[in-house]
Amino acid sequence: MWGCFELIFHIKHIRKDDIMKIEDVINRINILYKKSQEEGLTEEETLEQKELRQRYIDNVKSNFRAQLETIEKK
């Protein structure tokens, strides 16, 4: 499962123009996770959670690739 610290850690690697969008995604992921633990999710919410998590993962991968591309061999 996603931990708050893991999600916050990756925010540092997000482009400035994406911060609000990704913050919204993270907030919604956390809300859905909490709801899933307390009362369960509807099918629609489960699908939304899956899509949001994938969007977040894709963003992290993209940012990681961008960082790797800046590394120079010595």
Side-chain angles (χ1 to χ4, degrees), residues 3-73:
C4 280
F5 293 111
E6 292 171 320
L7 295 175
I8 291 169
F9 171 78
H10 293 295
I11 276 228
K12 294 178 181 178
H13 305 290
I14 298 169
R15 295 183 312 259
K16 288 183 181 180
D17 58 332
D18 288 339
I19 288 177
M20 277 305 292
K21 294 176 193 171
I22 294 303
E23 282 182 355
D24 292 342
V25 168
I26 292 168
N27 288 335
R28 185 67 180 155
I29 288 170
N30 288 332
I31 289 167
L32 290 170
Y33 173 74
K34 184 177 179 182
K35 183 178 180 195
S36 74
Q37 296 301 303
E38 293 174 352
E39 60 190 82
L41 299 175
T42 65
E43 287 183 36
E44 293 83 16
E45 289 169 330
T46 302
L47 179 60
E48 178 186 7
Q49 184 182 46
K50 181 179 178 182
E51 290 171 354
L52 290 171
R53 285 177 173 171
Q54 189 59 53
R55 179 176 173 190
Y56 176 78
I57 289 168
D58 291 345
N59 185 278
V60 170
K61 286 179 181 179
S62 173
N63 289 325
F64 185 67
R65 269 190 221 103
Q67 287 180 358
L68 288 176
E69 290 173 2
T70 65
I71 296 173
E72 298 177 16
K73 288 185 178 181

